[in-house]
Amino acid sequence: MQAGFRSGIVFSLLFSFVGLGTRAASGYVPLSPPSTNSFSDGLRISVLTCGTGSELYTLFGHSAIRVVDSSRGLDLVFNYGTFDFSDPHFYWKFLRGKLLYFLSVEDFPSFYQEYALDQRSVREQVLDLPPSVKQRIEEALFINAQPEYRFYRYDFIFDNCTTRVRDLLKRAIDDHFQWHLRAHESMSFRQALHPYLQKVPWIELGINILLGARADRLISGEEVMFLPDSLEWALSQASFNGHPLVKQQMVIYQPARQADDYPLVKPWMVMMLIGLWLVFYTWRVNLFKPSVVIWMDQICFFLIGCVGLFLAFMWWGTNHSMTKDNDQLIWASPLYVPFALWLNRHKQWVRIFAGIMAMLTAAYLSAGWLFAQKPIPALIPFLIGIFIRLMAIYREQAPYRIIHP
């Protein structure tokens, strides 16, 4: 999906929120609707599947529709993943899930050049359809590209550049069309994203924290086609009138394979070190000045509270469907912000809050595995350290027994 003219699911951390993306249409083509009086013998409809890239918005690939009409000299790519950076209040709309995406059109040479420069593969599936159906698809695309119809409210899972291609094909092809999908009962949306995020573990950690319990619902039927690779596979299995839907499948561009680049410092390493540090300065608190211990606790709990505030905002303050019902708020409470600010004061509620959060954190670590949204393994050492610090505050261990006489 594209960005601005760049497109994409720039769904990465926002989400950097992850990107089903591609850079956008540099070769925009003014459209005139095709004639409906006769069928074109040179009309060809195909689906383009583009590979992943190194940028955040290209992590999941991209889907588009190519329309070639040799009789009219047309070779166009219809791209549902475009948004405009010049849109007023762009970042605020994007953050809240209110940014409108739109269908853009560019000539195929410009599209190809863009992906070749980005070193991203381009694969094509030519559809074996009768002229009447191909014309119906072409007409639908030209109509959807008109200013009054081209905009839509984007959703990372349920309404993106790939699902738009899927749905248009379904509407245009009649009842003799079948997907022949394999079962996906054992895969959730979160699990479907995982293979694309293995090379970017820090982005994956951020996405896993941000995604709520809805992302752990098991995928059913056509929902699996929210990813370009899954749509490509489904098309290769589909049939029309008892014959394969895809007549020809080809690789248009394949970049040279590059060595996989994995970060040396992974989230679990950092979280392990932080967890061990929290345990260490609880055990050897006498090695530090009381003000230093309190200062370290304040920073830690304040940052957790900020994470909680952001997660709460993404749940209640945005239209992003997959950031709602987030169990991470069990341990990342926004109330940690005032807790951290009042930690060095003589307030009984601070001790009570520490006890409550210690119980919630322990419950999350022990019983969280029973729920759909399970604890994130990389965070477990960190959360154990937080539990130990909360218990130290609740039990008024040093230096808090000095503050709370």
Side-chain angles (χ1 to χ4, degrees), residues 163-188:
T163 63
R164 286 266 159 170
V165 172
R166 175 200 67 193
D167 295 343
L168 184 139
L169 294 177
K170 279 180 57 183
R171 288 192 298 268
I173 302 174
D174 60 26
D175 295 336
H176 299 289
F177 167 73
Q178 290 184 309
W179 284 115
H180 303 295
L181 295 175
R182 60 189 173 189
H184 284 273
E185 288 79 5
S186 61
M187 180 184 295
S188 67

Side-chain angles (χ1 to χ4, degrees), residues 47 62 75 82 97 109 120 159 176 198 223 226 251 262 276 292 297 302-303 306 333 336 355 365 376:
V47 174
H62 182 61
D75 191 353
T82 313
R120 297 175 62 190
D159 199 354
H176 299 289
Q198 290 179 303
E223 289 178 337
F226 78 99
V251 177
Y262 294 92
L276 290 173
V292 173
D297 281 342
F302 182 80
L303 292 176
C306 289
S333 171
Y336 271 127
L365 288 170
I376 301 171

Side-chain angles (χ1 to χ4, degrees), residues 135-367:
Q135 186 182 41
R136 196 151 61 234
I137 293 173
E138 181 189 34
E139 290 174 358
L141 287 168
F142 274 77
I143 291 172
N144 288 345
Q146 299 306 310
E148 62 268 34
Y149 301 118
R150 64 197 304 221
F151 293 94
Y152 71 99
R153 184 68 53 78
Y154 172 86
D155 184 275
F156 173 58
I157 298 291
F158 299 112
D159 199 354
N160 60 43
C161 71
T162 301
T163 63
R164 286 266 159 170
V165 172
R166 175 200 67 193
D167 295 343
L168 184 139
L169 294 177
K170 279 180 57 183
R171 288 192 298 268
I173 302 174
D174 60 26
D175 295 336
H176 299 289
F177 167 73
Q178 290 184 309
W179 284 115
H180 303 295
L181 295 175
R182 60 189 173 189
H184 284 273
E185 288 79 5
S186 61
M187 180 184 295
S188 67
F189 293 105
R190 193 188 302 270
Q191 290 168 331
L193 297 175
H194 172 70
Y196 299 89
L197 299 171
Q198 290 179 303
K199 296 180 182 178
V200 284
W202 286 101
I203 297 298
E204 181 173 28
L205 176 63
I207 289 174
N208 280 334
I209 292 174
L210 194 54
L211 287 176
R214 298 184 184 186
D216 296 286
R217 178 173 66 78
L218 297 181
I219 296 173
S220 62
E222 297 174 6
E223 289 178 337
V224 71
M225 287 179 276
F226 78 99
L227 291 168
D229 289 339
S230 297
L231 176 63
E232 180 184 32
W233 179 89
L235 288 172
S236 70
Q237 304 300 308
S239 64
F240 177 76
N241 276 336
H243 300 288
L245 176 63
V246 176
K247 175 171 60 177
Q248 185 180 11
Q249 188 156 332
M250 65 193 92
V251 177
I252 298 177
Y253 176 73
Q254 183 63 50
R257 181 172 177 80
Q258 299 179 350
D260 293 334
D261 185 19
Y262 294 92
L264 293 177
V265 180
K266 295 181 172 57
W268 70 266
M269 299 177 183
V270 175
M271 296 301 160
M272 179 69 75
L273 289 174
I274 295 175
L276 290 173
W277 173 250
L278 293 171
V279 172
F280 174 75
Y281 82 74
T282 302
W283 174 50
R284 303 294 291 176
V285 69
N286 59 305
L287 297 178
F288 304 92
K289 292 182 179 180
S291 60
V292 173
V293 174
I294 295 171
W295 176 75
M296 289 190 292
D297 281 342
Q298 285 181 311
I299 290 177
C300 183
F301 291 121
F302 182 80
L303 292 176
I304 295 175
C306 289
V307 171
L309 285 171
F310 184 64
L311 295 182
F313 169 76
M314 294 303 295
W315 182 343
W316 288 291
T318 76
N319 289 346
H320 295 294
S321 62
M322 285 292 156
T323 62
K324 302 184 184 301
D325 305 329
N326 197 331
D327 294 347
Q328 304 299 331
L329 283 166
I330 295 174
W331 64 266
S333 171
L335 294 177
Y336 271 127
V337 172
F339 173 76
L341 297 177
W342 287 79
L343 192 56
N344 62 342
R345 308 199 181 178
H346 179 61
K347 294 293 181 181
Q348 182 65 17
W349 74 263
V350 171
R351 177 177 176 273
I352 295 173
F353 179 79
I356 293 172
M357 291 310 301
M359 288 189 294
L360 288 176
T361 303
Y364 176 78
L365 288 170
S366 57

Side-chain angles (χ1 to χ4, degrees), residues 3-6 83-91 93 99 102:
F5 287 139
R6 285 194 158 222
F83 59 79
D84 188 356
F85 271 124
S86 66
D87 188 291
H89 311 294
F90 170 84
Y91 291 105
K93 290 180 180 178
L99 184 68
F102 59 90

Side-chain angles (χ1 to χ4, degrees), residues 103-162:
L103 173 62
S104 65
V105 187
E106 62 182 312
D107 59 88
F108 178 75
S110 298
F111 181 89
Y112 175 88
Q113 183 180 30
E114 173 189 329
Y115 280 87
L117 288 173
D118 281 354
Q119 294 291 292
R120 297 175 62 190
S121 64
V122 180
R123 305 183 296 276
E124 183 174 18
Q125 293 171 295
V126 181
L127 305 184
D128 188 7
L129 297 168
S132 60
V133 177
K134 288 190 285 187
Q135 186 182 41
R136 196 151 61 234
I137 293 173
E138 181 189 34
E139 290 174 358
L141 287 168
F142 274 77
I143 291 172
N144 288 345
Q146 299 306 310
E148 62 268 34
Y149 301 118
R150 64 197 304 221
F151 293 94
Y152 71 99
R153 184 68 53 78
Y154 172 86
D155 184 275
F156 173 58
I157 298 291
F158 299 112
D159 199 354
N160 60 43
C161 71
T162 301

